């Protein structure tokens, strides 16, 4: 079958999450038909998997303007913009109604398996840019199907590809074999079965971001409850501890985000979690009782734990885009023009320079990675960033370059100076230029018990926002 003329085709959007559904709304606003392919059984499938976690952004920051415009005729009422939704609230009160408003433009249980140019694999140049895209996907019953598209917006996120515990970026030796005692998600301790798994147990939490903060706070709450006596956390950090380790605290312009770090600090200060610093996991072994022993690259062996929660970030699945010519940064796996703006080794304060279709474009014209996936392995993505991305991309696809280039985005600062990478490296100097976004972080004195074989390490204070 020959593909129809490109201008007659829809834009295929991969993923019916916040960015994907917003992209569809913006495309419709531009008079372009979207076709959203979602691997899950419902819209917002990934968000539903962390339904128990509360966002640190308010409703006012997680509703896209074009989506709200599409929802208005349905009688949808926007929740109080000053309140904080949980993942469940976001999925049920916003994402699902938005998918319903889009109707049959959203296909669920449709897993994309490949994207290419019609009749052109990645090595063929001839007439490449004039050929429509072809998208292959499978249904839940195994049936395969293909559709043609004028453009492809990949908003599939990174939720299904969490990073491993291993400090080298590879799974630690024995990590896969210990899968029965390891999770890569923040556990829902309100679920009785999940609660029983962690109550009274010793649990290692590997990671240093908002998800790790949340897990530590949850474990501390469990330890203080009647059925949680004996619950203990072991916080595994690959770097030392400084004031910035716990985020911006009261200096964070998103108060709920700052509160997460303060809750994690309280968990340690109150003795509900021990901190192990400078530990890069090399192996996961079992002791005689079947408990897990974490072994570091430096040879340290930690006391056995019952469970391990790995929260070391996410990475993009690029396998189904292999026939496209993508321009990705070699480190972050983000678009090359975007990478310098979000690189955690250089970027500071959680602010991102406004960016849109130009920074998100690739050598393959007409394909865009947006939302969480656009950040590759970089952390701290905010929904409002994704909404502005897809607005710009939709305008560019429609040919309205004036609107597409008029990108305006102001993000709330974290209150943490210094990037997430080099900032904790001994000897790192303050960046030249720029003003500090918060007082210089002070060293937090934490001493881990001898049982876990670690002591707090000092990290340099200071660090400016200019980078």
């Amino acid at each position: 079958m020959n593909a129809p003329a490109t201008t007659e085709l829809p834009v295929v959007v991969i993923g019916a999450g916040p960015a994907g559904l917003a992209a569809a709304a913006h495309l419709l606003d531009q008079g372009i038909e979207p076709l959203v392919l979602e691997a899950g059984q419902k819209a917002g499938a990934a968000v539903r998997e962390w339904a128990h976690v509360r966002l640190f952004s308010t409703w006012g920051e997680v509703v896209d303007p074009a989506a709200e415009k599409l929802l208005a005729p349905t009688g949808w009422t926007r929740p109080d913009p000053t309140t904080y939704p949980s993942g469940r609230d976001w999925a049920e009160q916003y994402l699902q109604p938005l998918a319903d408003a889009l109707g049959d433009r959203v296909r669920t249980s449709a897993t994309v398996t490949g994207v290419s140019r019609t009749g052109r694999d990645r090595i063929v140049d001839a007439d490449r840019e004039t050929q429509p895209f072809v998208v292959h996907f499978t249904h839940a019953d195994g049936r395969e199907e293909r559709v043609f598209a004028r453009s492809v917006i990949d908003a599939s996120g990174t939720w299904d590809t969490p990073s491993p515990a291993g400090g080298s970026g590879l799974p630690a030796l024995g990590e896969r074999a210990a899968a029965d005692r390891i999770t890569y998600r923040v556990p829902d301790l309100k679920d009785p079965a999940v609660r029983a798994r962690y109550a009274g147990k010793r649990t290692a939490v590997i990671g240093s971001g908002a998800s790790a903060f949340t897990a530590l706070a949850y474990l501390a709450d469990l330890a203080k409850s009647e059925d949680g006596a004996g619950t203990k956390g072991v916080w595994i950090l690959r770097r030392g501890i400084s004031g910035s380790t716990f985020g911006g605290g009261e200096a964070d312009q998103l108060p709920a985000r700052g509160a997460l770090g303060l809750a994690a600090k309280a968990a340690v200060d109150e003795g509900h979690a021990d901190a192990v610093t400078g530990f890069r996991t090399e192996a996961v072994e079992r002791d005689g009782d079947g408990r897990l022993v974490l072994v570091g690259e430096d040879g340290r062996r930690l006391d056995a734990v019952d469970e391990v929660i790995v929260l070391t970030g996410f990475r993009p699945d690029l396998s189904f885009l292999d026939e496209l010519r993508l321009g990705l940064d070699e480190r972050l796996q983000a678009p090359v023009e975007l990478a310098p703006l979000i690189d955690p080794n250089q970027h500071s304060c959680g602010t991102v320079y406004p960016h849109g279709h130009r920074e998100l474009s690739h050598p393959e014209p007409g394909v865009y990675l947006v939302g969480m996936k656009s950040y590759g392995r970089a952390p701290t993505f905010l929904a409002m960033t994704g909404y502005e991305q897809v607005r710009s991309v939709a305008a560019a696809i429609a040919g309205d370059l004036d609107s597409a280039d008029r990108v305006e985005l102001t993000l709330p600062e974290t209150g943490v100076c210094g990037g997430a990478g080099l900032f904790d490296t001994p000897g790192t100097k303050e960046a030249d230029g720029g003003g500090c976004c918060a007082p210089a972080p002070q060293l937090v004195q934490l001493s881990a018990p001898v049982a876990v074989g670690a002591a707090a390490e000092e990290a340099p204070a200071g660090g400016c926002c200019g980078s």
Side-chain angles (χ1 to χ4, degrees), residues 204-249:
V205 177
I206 305 176
S208 59
S211 294
F213 295 163
T214 302
L216 289 166
Y218 282 7
L219 291 172
D221 287 343
L222 178 58
K224 291 181 280 190
S225 67
E226 292 183 4
D227 62 336
T231 302
K232 187 76 172 184
V234 182
W235 190 14
I236 312 296
L237 296 117
R238 294 171 178 170
R239 296 174 291 157
I241 291 181
S242 72
S244 67
T245 298
F246 300 97

Side-chain angles (χ1 to χ4, degrees), residues 40-58:
Q41 297 180 1
K42 294 182 177 180
V47 174
R48 294 175 192 274
E49 291 194 25
W50 48 269
H52 57 290
V53 178
R54 190 163 297 281
L55 280 71
F56 51 64
S57 296
T58 64

Side-chain angles (χ1 to χ4, degrees), residues 4 29 38 42 71 79-80 93 96 229 305 395 422 429:
D29 201 41
E38 165 59 46
K42 294 182 177 180
L71 284 165
D80 181 348
Q93 298 179 40
Q96 190 59 56
V305 296
L422 298 178
K429 297 180 180 180

Side-chain angles (χ1 to χ4, degrees), residues 48-309:
R48 294 175 192 274
E49 291 194 25
W50 48 269
H52 57 290
V53 178
R54 190 163 297 281
L55 280 71
F56 51 64
S57 296
T58 64
W59 270 116
E61 295 158 334
V62 298
V63 173
D64 175 78
E68 186 170 11
K69 178 180 177 182
L70 186 63
L71 284 165
T74 70
W76 181 78
T77 301
R78 181 177 184 171
D80 181 348
T82 65
T83 60
Y84 296 88
S86 65
R88 179 175 293 104
D89 297 334
W90 203 18
E92 294 181 354
Q93 298 179 40
Y94 169 65
L95 298 178
Q96 190 59 56
L98 179 54
D100 292 342
L102 289 165
D104 59 8
R105 299 181 180 94
V106 178
R107 298 191 195 179
T108 56
S109 299
T111 302
V112 173
T113 57
V115 183
S116 186
R117 289 280 188 179
T118 303
R120 306 289 187 274
D121 63 25
R122 68 183 296 162
I123 68 173
V124 177
D125 291 332
D127 299 323
R128 185 178 188 87
E129 294 184 12
T130 65
Q131 302 303 310
F133 292 94
V134 59
V135 181
H136 286 213
F137 62 98
T138 59
H139 296 271
D141 60 5
R143 286 184 301 114
E144 295 181 296
E145 189 176 344
R146 69 176 180 179
V147 293
F148 298 100
R150 61 187 289 184
S151 187
V152 174
I153 299 176
D154 183 356
S156 59
T158 56
W159 177 255
D160 289 331
T161 46
S163 296
S168 62
L170 302 173
L173 299 178
E175 183 174 343
R176 292 190 180 95
D180 60 316
R181 290 179 178 262
I182 299 178
T183 184
Y184 299 85
R185 308 285 189 251
V186 176
D188 181 2
L189 298 184
K190 293 182 180 180
D191 182 317
V194 176
R195 190 177 184 87
R197 176 175 174 175
Y198 296 95
K201 304 292 179 60
R202 182 177 172 83
T203 299
V205 177
I206 305 176
S208 59
S211 294
F213 295 163
T214 302
L216 289 166
Y218 282 7
L219 291 172
D221 287 343
L222 178 58
K224 291 181 280 190
S225 67
E226 292 183 4
D227 62 336
T231 302
K232 187 76 172 184
V234 182
W235 190 14
I236 312 296
L237 296 117
R238 294 171 178 170
R239 296 174 291 157
I241 291 181
S242 72
S244 67
T245 298
F246 300 97
E250 295 178 358
D252 196 317
Q253 291 181 8
L254 287 178
R257 181 172 59 187
L260 286 176
L262 297 177
K265 183 177 184 299
V268 177
D269 289 346
E270 295 170 5
H272 299 302
D274 298 326
V276 180
T277 60
F279 190 93
R280 293 180 175 273
T281 307
E282 182 176 77
V284 180
E285 301 177 357
R286 290 187 188 266
D287 67 7
D289 297 324
R291 303 172 80 207
L292 302 184
V293 176
L294 302 182
V295 182
E297 292 178 353
D298 58 3
R300 277 186 289 170
R301 300 173 63 86
L302 305 186
D303 283 356
V305 296
D306 300 288
E307 300 286 342
V308 178
I309 303 173

